[in-house]
Amino acid sequence: MTGNEFRLLLEAAVCGDREALDSLLALYMPLINRLSSYAGNLDEDCRQYIMLHIVLHISEFRI
């Protein structure tokens, strides 16, 4: 994905495009999973909290 493609995806997600938000979450899922792990175990509650926080606050992101 080029920088321009990423910017368009991010702009669409910020504007409320659900498919763009889903794509953005899928793109960052490896990082989300890594940050949601403790002692080698995935904490599903933590992962859901991170994703919920992203979904609720993506519209506040300024590009």
Side-chain angles (χ1 to χ4, degrees), residues 4 19 22 25 48 56:
N4 192 42
E19 288 182 25
D22 288 343
L25 286 172
Q48 287 180 353
L56 291 176

Side-chain angles (χ1 to χ4, degrees), residues 29-47 50:
M29 193 54 65
L31 176 62
I32 293 169
N33 286 337
R34 188 174 45 223
L35 295 173
S36 301
S37 296
Y38 178 74
N41 296 317
L42 180 64
D43 184 339
E44 293 284 340
D45 291 333
C46 183
R47 182 171 70 167
I50 291 171

